[in-house]
Amino acid sequence: MYNIVFMGKSGSGKGTQINLMIKNGYHKISIGDILRNEIAKDTSLGKSVKKLLEKGKLISDDLVIKLLSKELDNHKTGIIFDGFPRTLNQAKKLEKILKKKNIKLDCVIEIDTPDSVILDRIRERYTCKKCGASYNKKGVQPKKEGICDVCGGKEFITRQDDEINVVKTRLKDYKKTSKDILNYYKKIELLYIVSGASGSQTETNEQVETVLRIINLKNELAKFH
Ligand code: AMP
């Protein structure tokens, strides 16, 4: 198993691909998940970041690095970094932390999905209020209309941070900050870009699997040097 940074705009289909990898034994580190958990538990950390998350704004690099470093004490391989790094500074700090902890970053996969595909998808997305299971008006729906497959809940909501304006802010932020990060990973030959334009998880997954085969071949070749 490899250590992989997954990049992509909010709604790019990155989460779906990561879930497929988790089924294969990968472990995901998501700062967003950690923060949402803190907010749900109403801890002091949760209280301090709640507003930023609701607005779709990034939290400070220092705090993010601290949370990440703690997570890396429990995992050494098969790690997926989800939604991290989001700034060039975070990318550079990640390299340092990984070196210190003797962890190798094998590749960076960006899922490149057009804004129009993302906005359409998000407009159709809704979740169960009780357990957060996700559905789509044009895609996966509860098997029994109005009743959540997972927990039986009957109330559904649109994720507050999914509101279109917040998503547009996120898309803008991603474009601004990802450029430098992607260039950085391109220069050190870790970057692979797969297309999410078709909206088909199978097609995107085939490309992700191809990247993993390339990494495997590269590692095999390196043994001869
Ligand atoms: P996500 O679930 O990855 O979309 O993250 C949700 C929210 O958590 C983001 O909009 C930010 O407010 C915060 N967040 C997550 N990861 C980071 C990060 N690497 N740097 C700064 N803020 C982050």
Side-chain angles (χ1 to χ4, degrees), residues 10 14 30-33 35-36 49 52-61 64 82-87 90 159 161 170:
S10 170
K14 174 170 61 92
S30 155
I31 303 292
D33 281 355
L35 295 175
R36 276 187 287 274
V49 297
L52 287 173
L53 257 82
E54 278 171 2
K55 287 187 195 146
K57 297 261 181 229
L58 296 184
I59 63 158
S60 80
D61 284 353
V64 171
D82 176 15
F84 183 95
R86 271 196 168 76
T87 64
Q90 286 181 9
R159 235 174 71 176
D161 63 347
R170 282 183 174 193

Side-chain angles (χ1 to χ4, degrees), residues 1-4 18 21-30 34 71-72 74-82:
M1 280 205 288
Y2 303 112
N3 296 320
I4 307 167
I18 292 175
M21 311 254 326
I22 290 171
K23 279 192 192 141
N24 292 331
Y26 276 85
H27 171 78
K28 174 178 83 162
I29 297 181
S30 155
I34 295 171
E71 284 288 307
L72 286 173
N74 305 323
H75 302 280
K76 299 286 170 227
T77 184
I79 305 167
I80 290 177
F81 298 95
D82 176 15

Side-chain angles (χ1 to χ4, degrees), residues 20 87 120:
L20 291 172
T87 64
D120 280 353

